Amino acid sequence: MVVTRFSRLQHLLLLQPRFQQSRVLRRPLTRTPTLIRSVMGSSSSSSSKLLFRQLFEKESSTYTYLLADISHPDKPALLIDPVDKTVDRDLKLINELGLKLVYAMNTHVHADHVTGTGLLKTKVPGVKSVISKASGSKADKFVEHGEKVSIGDIHLEVRATPGHTAGCVTYVTGEGADRPQPRMAFTGDAVLIRGCGRTDFQGGCADQLYESVHSQIFTLPKDTLIYPAHDYKGFEVSTVGEEMQHNPRLTKDKETFKTIMTNLNLAYPKMIDVALPANMVCGLQDLLPSEAN
């Protein structure tokens, strides 16, 4: 009987540390992403007006971002970097959430997929396509550095971040106590999680990309959330502070960075011959450039 009691006690003692350890290990792996989405959604008092969703297109590993002001009667919304192949999925979600799509925005002219902005315009009357003026592309609304794009009481600040392409911009949520906290930066290909976009075509320039990132993105508060246009390793979100410390390219001095970018020897993008002409006319590849507006 003594042996039995001891064995049971020993068994419980042995189990307890394992249980505690499993709780600690699980938390950063499965609960942190949920917490991030919750903080940036309707549960935070400082961002109760913002609805945010991160969507993924697996073929080109592209992230599309949905933002909406749910405190406004119309629930106006915008999409950042939509993909043509997932337009129906995105619209289904928008309809389910009772949102009104106002803008379909691009961070730059993509070379690896066809933007969904053109299709969205054909399916949702009144939607306006948005891209930087420097991109040379067709759109309803052209933005430049320092401008703001607003939906209800939420706005995105436009920051010019050329280097991956000549017309890249980063969209950043507004600053202030009544704005979503922490701030959010939609960096396109300028900053990827532990990486950055290539600089060997489309007017790319490693020197320019380095300056753009360090002057326009790395000057944001360190807890600013970074949401890139792509990820190929399973990451969803980073922060300015993380990338300033751990990005294997952008933490180097400028000359080392330029050497790294010159010697990447990347393959020619397989979709570029289709994507670039289509994206220069807002994704409506069957229309003449003069008709895309």
Side-chain angles (χ1 to χ4, degrees), residues 106-131:
N106 282 295
T107 53
H108 63 290
V109 176
H110 304 276
D112 49 7
H113 69 270
V114 176
T115 179
T117 53
L119 281 177
L120 287 164
K121 283 170 59 63
T122 67
K123 292 175 179 286
V124 184
V127 171
K128 292 184 177 181
S129 56
V130 180
I131 200 166

PDB file of all heavy atoms in Angstrom, residues 106-131:
ATOM      1  N   ASN A 106      -2.676  49.164 -54.060  1.00  0.00           N
ATOM      2  CA  ASN A 106      -1.450  48.404 -54.261  1.00  0.00           C
ATOM      3  C   ASN A 106      -0.263  49.147 -53.672  1.00  0.00           C
ATOM      4  O   ASN A 106      -0.192  50.383 -53.753  1.00  0.00           O
ATOM      5  CB  ASN A 106      -1.208  48.149 -55.750  1.00  0.00           C
ATOM      6  CG  ASN A 106      -2.088  47.029 -56.282  1.00  0.00           C
ATOM      7  OD1 ASN A 106      -1.961  45.879 -55.889  1.00  0.00           O
ATOM      8  ND2 ASN A 106      -3.002  47.371 -57.176  1.00  0.00           N
ATOM      9  N   THR A 107       0.658  48.397 -53.100  1.00  0.00           N
ATOM     10  CA  THR A 107       1.888  48.999 -52.584  1.00  0.00           C
ATOM     11  C   THR A 107       2.871  49.284 -53.715  1.00  0.00           C
ATOM     12  O   THR A 107       3.740  50.143 -53.579  1.00  0.00           O
ATOM     13  CB  THR A 107       2.565  48.082 -51.559  1.00  0.00           C
ATOM     14  OG1 THR A 107       2.750  46.771 -52.141  1.00  0.00           O
ATOM     15  CG2 THR A 107       1.731  47.959 -50.289  1.00  0.00           C
ATOM     16  N   HIS A 108       2.732  48.549 -54.841  1.00  0.00           N
ATOM     17  CA  HIS A 108       3.599  48.748 -56.004  1.00  0.00           C
ATOM     18  C   HIS A 108       3.067  47.919 -57.171  1.00  0.00           C
ATOM     19  O   HIS A 108       2.086  47.185 -57.005  1.00  0.00           O
ATOM     20  CB  HIS A 108       5.042  48.344 -55.680  1.00  0.00           C
ATOM     21  CG  HIS A 108       5.236  46.898 -55.331  1.00  0.00           C
ATOM     22  ND1 HIS A 108       4.767  46.336 -54.153  1.00  0.00           N
ATOM     23  CD2 HIS A 108       5.825  45.878 -56.008  1.00  0.00           C
ATOM     24  CE1 HIS A 108       5.080  45.059 -54.117  1.00  0.00           C
ATOM     25  NE2 HIS A 108       5.704  44.742 -55.232  1.00  0.00           N
ATOM     26  N   VAL A 109       3.699  48.039 -58.316  1.00  0.00           N
ATOM     27  CA  VAL A 109       3.352  47.216 -59.474  1.00  0.00           C
ATOM     28  C   VAL A 109       4.020  45.860 -59.285  1.00  0.00           C
ATOM     29  O   VAL A 109       5.245  45.738 -59.334  1.00  0.00           O
ATOM     30  CB  VAL A 109       3.817  47.870 -60.792  1.00  0.00           C
ATOM     31  CG1 VAL A 109       3.538  46.936 -61.977  1.00  0.00           C
ATOM     32  CG2 VAL A 109       3.099  49.200 -61.007  1.00  0.00           C
ATOM     33  N   HIS A 110       3.219  44.849 -59.065  1.00  0.00           N
ATOM     34  CA  HIS A 110       3.740  43.515 -58.762  1.00  0.00           C
ATOM     35  C   HIS A 110       4.222  42.802 -60.017  1.00  0.00           C
ATOM     36  O   HIS A 110       3.644  42.960 -61.097  1.00  0.00           O
ATOM     37  CB  HIS A 110       2.646  42.674 -58.093  1.00  0.00           C
ATOM     38  CG  HIS A 110       2.074  43.308 -56.868  1.00  0.00           C
ATOM     39  ND1 HIS A 110       2.657  43.201 -55.621  1.00  0.00           N
ATOM     40  CD2 HIS A 110       0.967  44.071 -56.694  1.00  0.00           C
ATOM     41  CE1 HIS A 110       1.934  43.863 -54.741  1.00  0.00           C
ATOM     42  NE2 HIS A 110       0.903  44.402 -55.361  1.00  0.00           N
ATOM     43  N   ALA A 111       5.246  41.970 -59.849  1.00  0.00           N
ATOM     44  CA  ALA A 111       5.777  41.186 -60.965  1.00  0.00           C
ATOM     45  C   ALA A 111       5.465  39.703 -60.836  1.00  0.00           C
ATOM     46  O   ALA A 111       5.729  38.942 -61.759  1.00  0.00           O
ATOM     47  CB  ALA A 111       7.292  41.383 -61.063  1.00  0.00           C
ATOM     48  N   ASP A 112       4.910  39.289 -59.703  1.00  0.00           N
ATOM     49  CA  ASP A 112       4.726  37.847 -59.466  1.00  0.00           C
ATOM     50  C   ASP A 112       3.270  37.413 -59.419  1.00  0.00           C
ATOM     51  O   ASP A 112       2.968  36.242 -59.236  1.00  0.00           O
ATOM     52  CB  ASP A 112       5.424  37.434 -58.166  1.00  0.00           C
ATOM     53  CG  ASP A 112       5.088  38.341 -56.999  1.00  0.00           C
ATOM     54  OD1 ASP A 112       4.208  39.212 -57.147  1.00  0.00           O
ATOM     55  OD2 ASP A 112       5.707  38.184 -55.938  1.00  0.00           O
ATOM     56  N   HIS A 113       2.347  38.355 -59.565  1.00  0.00           N
ATOM     57  CA  HIS A 113       0.926  38.010 -59.652  1.00  0.00           C
ATOM     58  C   HIS A 113       0.158  39.179 -60.248  1.00  0.00           C
ATOM     59  O   HIS A 113       0.652  40.307 -60.270  1.00  0.00           O
ATOM     60  CB  HIS A 113       0.353  37.662 -58.267  1.00  0.00           C
ATOM     61  CG  HIS A 113       0.264  38.842 -57.353  1.00  0.00           C
ATOM     62  ND1 HIS A 113       1.286  39.212 -56.511  1.00  0.00           N
ATOM     63  CD2 HIS A 113      -0.730  39.759 -57.152  1.00  0.00           C
ATOM     64  CE1 HIS A 113       0.935  40.290 -55.827  1.00  0.00           C
ATOM     65  NE2 HIS A 113      -0.286  40.646 -56.204  1.00  0.00           N
ATOM     66  N   VAL A 114      -1.026  38.893 -60.739  1.00  0.00           N
ATOM     67  CA  VAL A 114      -1.880  39.958 -61.282  1.00  0.00           C
ATOM     68  C   VAL A 114      -2.723  40.530 -60.146  1.00  0.00           C
ATOM     69  O   VAL A 114      -3.364  39.793 -59.392  1.00  0.00           O
ATOM     70  CB  VAL A 114      -2.793  39.419 -62.405  1.00  0.00           C
ATOM     71  CG1 VAL A 114      -3.756  40.508 -62.890  1.00  0.00           C
ATOM     72  CG2 VAL A 114      -1.957  38.894 -63.566  1.00  0.00           C
ATOM     73  N   THR A 115      -2.704  41.834 -60.027  1.00  0.00           N
ATOM     74  CA  THR A 115      -3.487  42.484 -58.972  1.00  0.00           C
ATOM     75  C   THR A 115      -4.982  42.237 -59.168  1.00  0.00           C
ATOM     76  O   THR A 115      -5.459  42.076 -60.298  1.00  0.00           O
ATOM     77  CB  THR A 115      -3.209  43.998 -58.938  1.00  0.00           C
ATOM     78  OG1 THR A 115      -4.017  44.595 -57.922  1.00  0.00           O
ATOM     79  CG2 THR A 115      -3.565  44.655 -60.264  1.00  0.00           C
ATOM     80  N   GLY A 116      -5.710  42.237 -58.067  1.00  0.00           N
ATOM     81  CA  GLY A 116      -7.152  42.049 -58.131  1.00  0.00           C
ATOM     82  C   GLY A 116      -7.937  43.341 -58.246  1.00  0.00           C
ATOM     83  O   GLY A 116      -9.172  43.315 -58.295  1.00  0.00           O
ATOM     84  N   THR A 117      -7.246  44.482 -58.324  1.00  0.00           N
ATOM     85  CA  THR A 117      -7.963  45.757 -58.305  1.00  0.00           C
ATOM     86  C   THR A 117      -8.913  45.909 -59.489  1.00  0.00           C
ATOM     87  O   THR A 117     -10.020  46.418 -59.349  1.00  0.00           O
ATOM     88  CB  THR A 117      -6.986  46.944 -58.276  1.00  0.00           C
ATOM     89  OG1 THR A 117      -6.043  46.808 -59.355  1.00  0.00           O
ATOM     90  CG2 THR A 117      -6.225  47.003 -56.969  1.00  0.00           C
ATOM     91  N   GLY A 118      -8.479  45.486 -60.669  1.00  0.00           N
ATOM     92  CA  GLY A 118      -9.330  45.616 -61.845  1.00  0.00           C
ATOM     93  C   GLY A 118     -10.597  44.789 -61.744  1.00  0.00           C
ATOM     94  O   GLY A 118     -11.696  45.275 -62.036  1.00  0.00           O
ATOM     95  N   LEU A 119     -10.462  43.530 -61.312  1.00  0.00           N
ATOM     96  CA  LEU A 119     -11.632  42.672 -61.143  1.00  0.00           C
ATOM     97  C   LEU A 119     -12.573  43.218 -60.082  1.00  0.00           C
ATOM     98  O   LEU A 119     -13.794  43.171 -60.230  1.00  0.00           O
ATOM     99  CB  LEU A 119     -11.195  41.254 -60.771  1.00  0.00           C
ATOM    100  CG  LEU A 119     -10.705  40.364 -61.912  1.00  0.00           C
ATOM    101  CD1 LEU A 119     -10.243  39.017 -61.359  1.00  0.00           C
ATOM    102  CD2 LEU A 119     -11.806  40.148 -62.938  1.00  0.00           C
ATOM    103  N   LEU A 120     -12.022  43.734 -59.026  1.00  0.00           N
ATOM    104  CA  LEU A 120     -12.853  44.306 -57.963  1.00  0.00           C
ATOM    105  C   LEU A 120     -13.697  45.459 -58.498  1.00  0.00           C
ATOM    106  O   LEU A 120     -14.867  45.619 -58.133  1.00  0.00           O
ATOM    107  CB  LEU A 120     -11.976  44.780 -56.805  1.00  0.00           C
ATOM    108  CG  LEU A 120     -11.374  43.668 -55.941  1.00  0.00           C
ATOM    109  CD1 LEU A 120     -10.231  44.201 -55.088  1.00  0.00           C
ATOM    110  CD2 LEU A 120     -12.445  43.049 -55.045  1.00  0.00           C
ATOM    111  N   LYS A 121     -13.102  46.274 -59.377  1.00  0.00           N
ATOM    112  CA  LYS A 121     -13.839  47.401 -59.952  1.00  0.00           C
ATOM    113  C   LYS A 121     -15.006  46.933 -60.809  1.00  0.00           C
ATOM    114  O   LYS A 121     -16.026  47.606 -60.892  1.00  0.00           O
ATOM    115  CB  LYS A 121     -12.890  48.274 -60.765  1.00  0.00           C
ATOM    116  CG  LYS A 121     -11.993  49.179 -59.915  1.00  0.00           C
ATOM    117  CD  LYS A 121     -10.912  49.835 -60.743  1.00  0.00           C
ATOM    118  CE  LYS A 121     -11.461  50.672 -61.859  1.00  0.00           C
ATOM    119  NZ  LYS A 121     -12.281  51.821 -61.380  1.00  0.00           N
ATOM    120  N   THR A 122     -14.862  45.766 -61.457  1.00  0.00           N
ATOM    121  CA  THR A 122     -15.954  45.264 -62.289  1.00  0.00           C
ATOM    122  C   THR A 122     -17.063  44.629 -61.461  1.00  0.00           C
ATOM    123  O   THR A 122     -18.212  44.545 -61.900  1.00  0.00           O
ATOM    124  CB  THR A 122     -15.444  44.220 -63.300  1.00  0.00           C
ATOM    125  OG1 THR A 122     -15.001  43.046 -62.611  1.00  0.00           O
ATOM    126  CG2 THR A 122     -14.311  44.785 -64.134  1.00  0.00           C
ATOM    127  N   LYS A 123     -16.736  44.178 -60.262  1.00  0.00           N
ATOM    128  CA  LYS A 123     -17.705  43.466 -59.432  1.00  0.00           C
ATOM    129  C   LYS A 123     -18.373  44.351 -58.380  1.00  0.00           C
ATOM    130  O   LYS A 123     -19.464  44.023 -57.895  1.00  0.00           O
ATOM    131  CB  LYS A 123     -17.011  42.283 -58.740  1.00  0.00           C
ATOM    132  CG  LYS A 123     -16.581  41.171 -59.700  1.00  0.00           C
ATOM    133  CD  LYS A 123     -15.785  40.090 -58.966  1.00  0.00           C
ATOM    134  CE  LYS A 123     -15.374  38.963 -59.902  1.00  0.00           C
ATOM    135  NZ  LYS A 123     -16.518  38.090 -60.253  1.00  0.00           N
ATOM    136  N   VAL A 124     -17.708  45.429 -57.995  1.00  0.00           N
ATOM    137  CA  VAL A 124     -18.248  46.314 -56.957  1.00  0.00           C
ATOM    138  C   VAL A 124     -18.262  47.747 -57.482  1.00  0.00           C
ATOM    139  O   VAL A 124     -17.220  48.403 -57.522  1.00  0.00           O
ATOM    140  CB  VAL A 124     -17.410  46.231 -55.659  1.00  0.00           C
ATOM    141  CG1 VAL A 124     -18.056  47.093 -54.570  1.00  0.00           C
ATOM    142  CG2 VAL A 124     -17.250  44.802 -55.194  1.00  0.00           C
ATOM    143  N   PRO A 125     -19.405  48.249 -57.894  1.00  0.00           N
ATOM    144  CA  PRO A 125     -19.489  49.619 -58.409  1.00  0.00           C
ATOM    145  C   PRO A 125     -18.986  50.639 -57.393  1.00  0.00           C
ATOM    146  O   PRO A 125     -19.281  50.545 -56.205  1.00  0.00           O
ATOM    147  CB  PRO A 125     -20.991  49.807 -58.687  1.00  0.00           C
ATOM    148  CG  PRO A 125     -21.523  48.418 -58.861  1.00  0.00           C
ATOM    149  CD  PRO A 125     -20.715  47.562 -57.926  1.00  0.00           C
ATOM    150  N   GLY A 126     -18.212  51.586 -57.869  1.00  0.00           N
ATOM    151  CA  GLY A 126     -17.753  52.663 -57.010  1.00  0.00           C
ATOM    152  C   GLY A 126     -16.400  52.448 -56.367  1.00  0.00           C
ATOM    153  O   GLY A 126     -15.830  53.384 -55.795  1.00  0.00           O
ATOM    154  N   VAL A 127     -15.869  51.237 -56.436  1.00  0.00           N
ATOM    155  CA  VAL A 127     -14.547  50.983 -55.853  1.00  0.00           C
ATOM    156  C   VAL A 127     -13.483  51.721 -56.662  1.00  0.00           C
ATOM    157  O   VAL A 127     -13.503  51.698 -57.903  1.00  0.00           O
ATOM    158  CB  VAL A 127     -14.226  49.474 -55.833  1.00  0.00           C
ATOM    159  CG1 VAL A 127     -12.776  49.243 -55.423  1.00  0.00           C
ATOM    160  CG2 VAL A 127     -15.156  48.760 -54.883  1.00  0.00           C
ATOM    161  N   LYS A 128     -12.565  52.367 -55.974  1.00  0.00           N
ATOM    162  CA  LYS A 128     -11.495  53.094 -56.638  1.00  0.00           C
ATOM    163  C   LYS A 128     -10.158  52.383 -56.447  1.00  0.00           C
ATOM    164  O   LYS A 128      -9.814  51.971 -55.338  1.00  0.00           O
ATOM    165  CB  LYS A 128     -11.403  54.524 -56.087  1.00  0.00           C
ATOM    166  CG  LYS A 128     -12.600  55.392 -56.448  1.00  0.00           C
ATOM    167  CD  LYS A 128     -12.406  56.820 -55.963  1.00  0.00           C
ATOM    168  CE  LYS A 128     -13.579  57.703 -56.388  1.00  0.00           C
ATOM    169  NZ  LYS A 128     -13.400  59.098 -55.937  1.00  0.00           N
ATOM    170  N   SER A 129      -9.422  52.245 -57.534  1.00  0.00           N
ATOM    171  CA  SER A 129      -8.083  51.671 -57.466  1.00  0.00           C
ATOM    172  C   SER A 129      -7.094  52.753 -57.042  1.00  0.00           C
ATOM    173  O   SER A 129      -7.237  53.922 -57.414  1.00  0.00           O
ATOM    174  CB  SER A 129      -7.683  51.080 -58.819  1.00  0.00           C
ATOM    175  OG  SER A 129      -7.783  52.053 -59.840  1.00  0.00           O
ATOM    176  N   VAL A 130      -6.093  52.345 -56.263  1.00  0.00           N
ATOM    177  CA  VAL A 130      -5.115  53.295 -55.711  1.00  0.00           C
ATOM    178  C   VAL A 130      -3.711  52.746 -55.904  1.00  0.00           C
ATOM    179  O   VAL A 130      -3.453  51.556 -55.627  1.00  0.00           O
ATOM    180  CB  VAL A 130      -5.363  53.542 -54.209  1.00  0.00           C
ATOM    181  CG1 VAL A 130      -4.344  54.532 -53.652  1.00  0.00           C
ATOM    182  CG2 VAL A 130      -6.782  54.043 -53.963  1.00  0.00           C
ATOM    183  N   ILE A 131      -2.805  53.587 -56.366  1.00  0.00           N
ATOM    184  CA  ILE A 131      -1.392  53.219 -56.469  1.00  0.00           C
ATOM    185  C   ILE A 131      -0.581  54.506 -56.464  1.00  0.00           C
ATOM    186  O   ILE A 131      -1.135  55.604 -56.627  1.00  0.00           O
ATOM    187  CB  ILE A 131      -1.128  52.383 -57.754  1.00  0.00           C
ATOM    188  CG1 ILE A 131       0.178  51.586 -57.622  1.00  0.00           C
ATOM    189  CG2 ILE A 131      -1.110  53.265 -58.995  1.00  0.00           C
ATOM    190  CD1 ILE A 131       0.325  50.495 -58.671  1.00  0.00           C
TER     191      ILE A 131
END
